[in-house]
Amino acid sequence: MTERFTQILRRQSEPTWSAAVGHRFVTELCNGSVADPFMIRYLVQDHRFIDSFLTLLGAAIATADTFEARLRFGRFAGMISSDENTYFLRAFEALDVSPAQRNEPVDSGPTAGFKAIMREAAATRSYAAALAVLNVAEGLYLDWASKAPKTLPANFVYAEWITLHDNPAFAEFVAFLQAELDRVGPQEAALSSDFYSRTVALELAFFDAIYDEEA
């Protein structure tokens, strides 16, 4: 059986992909034991991706070669702008995150890297480049979230972040991303592989950075 292009990219991303999926942060998130300072650091930094992420989704809409794909991306952008952004705001309130805590810390290195690679992929005007970054950003989260224990933490801050990335609609969107990259990626294989591998490395670095200042 012929290996799919996305399967090749995933295989080539090892062991970094598996290190991210099995990271300490993921384990603690899934059992609801992430200490508040680390969870706050994660959420503050992750929320800063949304602007660049919407830019990337806009690029995918602009470069997609089918109307159905544009609709799929448009619906997903709407979810990010509503359900996901609202989750962040509710989580900040629950964790008593002040405006200063949200706005004053500088971007971590991986956060800056994520913003840059999303905008870089958008600037290429390559559908394959946008898809490569999206396949990692969404596919890696589906991978770890789908492995979470079915008994979720009681606190919504943990539970809803898991369920946002482990539900039928999200799984269908990730399958769509994979199918699209399988379709157009081989024509730009080197570009796709470059963006894919760099994004996987950033995912692991982002999780590592949460604990960088641990005492």
Side-chain angles (χ1 to χ4, degrees):
M1 186 175 179
T2 303
E3 195 174 21
R4 294 169 54 186
F5 184 63
T6 50
Q7 291 174 324
I8 294 171
L9 294 179
R10 166 73 179 275
R11 175 170 50 78
Q12 291 175 342
S13 76
E14 293 294 355
T16 310
W17 181 291
S18 291
V21 170
H23 197 276
R24 168 189 170 183
F25 174 75
V26 172
T27 300
E28 293 181 355
L29 174 72
C30 290
N31 64 32
S33 67
V34 182
D36 284 356
F38 299 135
M39 195 66 195
I40 289 168
R41 184 177 302 151
Y42 171 83
L43 292 172
V44 166
Q45 295 290 324
D46 198 277
H47 187 243
R48 294 180 183 182
F49 297 159
I50 290 183
D51 183 47
S52 297
F53 190 66
L54 290 173
T55 298
L56 180 62
L57 288 173
I61 292 171
T63 56
D65 54 359
T66 68
F67 178 56
E68 175 57 29
R70 295 186 207 280
L71 291 176
R72 295 291 292 269
F73 286 118
R75 288 193 292 268
F76 190 70
M79 187 281 292
I80 295 295
S81 303
S82 55
D83 293 352
E84 185 158 319
N85 188 60
T86 299
Y87 160 80
F88 278 106
L89 300 181
R90 291 170 56 233
F92 289 146
E93 182 177 3
L95 292 167
D96 198 25
V97 180
S98 68
Q101 285 177 290
R102 287 181 54 186
N103 299 320
E104 290 178 5
V106 298
D107 287 350
S108 69
T111 297
F114 261 121
K115 288 180 175 181
I117 202 168
M118 289 174 184
R119 292 183 181 275
E120 180 188 351
T124 65
R125 295 186 174 274
S126 163
Y127 187 37
L131 285 166
V133 176
L134 288 166
N135 263 272
V136 177
E138 304 310 311
L140 190 145
Y141 269 57
L142 174 64
D143 194 7
W144 69 251
S146 64
K147 295 172 181 174
K150 296 311 172 189
T151 301
L152 296 173
N155 190 329
F156 87 89
V157 172
Y158 308 105
E160 286 190 24
W161 192 239
I162 296 167
T163 57
L164 275 170
H165 299 97
D166 180 27
N167 61 76
F170 186 71
E172 288 175 8
F173 183 70
V174 171
F176 158 74
L177 291 174
Q178 292 170 340
E180 288 292 273
L181 189 55
D182 285 335
R183 181 173 66 85
V184 304
Q187 288 73 50
E188 297 184 78
L191 182 71
S192 300
S193 178
D194 174 58
F195 275 101
Y196 193 101
S197 63
R198 286 193 285 142
T199 307
V200 174
L202 283 167
E203 292 284 4
L204 178 58
F206 186 77
F207 288 154
D208 284 343
I210 297 163
Y211 300 99
D212 277 352
E213 298 174 19
E214 185 172 30

